[in-house]
Amino acid sequence: MRHEDFHSTWQVFELMKGAGVDPNSTTYGFLINRYRRSDNFEMALKLLFEMEERGLDPSLGTIEDILALAVRRGHARLALELAENFETGSVRRLNDSTWVRCLIAATGTLYVRTMRLRC
């Protein structure tokens, strides 16, 4: 995704705030999805934390997208912590396939660390 695309998205976001329109979970989900599609885990995570600070809950799809991105970027432990945090604070449950991806990534990370220690 081009820088200009993100710039125009943020302009709309700022215009909404300036007009007194508070962003909701859908707005944040849209922004997070744009960063997820460009593989920008840091910005997606920043927006997730910002929305939670505002008392907004991410949709199940939004959190699962962030978890998939965390796993893909090699942040298995963080993905597990985010997954546990989500389920602790929500009545919704992650899909089994999301948990499996997180656990496989965590197992792979543990295996690599164990092999390094042996060498």
Side-chain angles (χ1 to χ4, degrees):
M1 193 164 297
R2 297 180 330 225
H3 174 72
E4 298 82 26
D5 294 338
F6 288 115
H7 182 69
S8 61
T9 300
W10 279 106
Q11 282 181 321
V12 171
F13 192 64
E14 292 302 319
L15 283 171
M16 287 174 59
K17 285 183 182 177
V21 178
D22 288 330
N24 58 20
S25 294
T26 303
T27 308
Y28 276 101
F30 172 75
L31 289 170
I32 288 169
N33 188 43
R34 289 186 63 109
Y35 283 108
R36 178 196 57 83
R37 286 193 327 250
S38 66
D39 206 35
N40 191 334
F41 175 67
E42 292 78 10
M43 280 302 294
L45 190 61
K46 176 190 177 301
L47 288 169
L48 175 67
F49 290 149
E50 183 179 314
M51 75 182 292
E52 288 178 348
E53 286 175 6
R54 291 174 164 261
L56 300 171
D57 294 322
S59 71
L60 187 59
T62 296
I63 193 68
E64 287 184 338
D65 286 345
I66 289 175
L67 293 173
L69 182 55
V71 166
R72 194 168 56 250
R73 295 283 304 273
H75 303 293
R77 184 174 181 161
L78 180 56
L80 285 173
E81 289 174 8
L82 289 170
E84 289 173 349
N85 183 53
F86 175 78
E87 285 201 349
T88 299
S90 177
V91 296
R92 297 169 293 169
R93 296 292 165 248
L94 297 168
N95 291 323
D96 290 341
S97 61
T98 299
W99 274 111
V100 169
R101 275 195 303 267
C102 290
L103 293 172
I104 287 171
T107 303
T109 300
L110 178 61
Y111 177 77
V112 168
R113 286 184 186 160
T114 302
M115 293 309 291
R116 284 185 190 154
L117 291 174
R118 288 185 178 175
C119 296

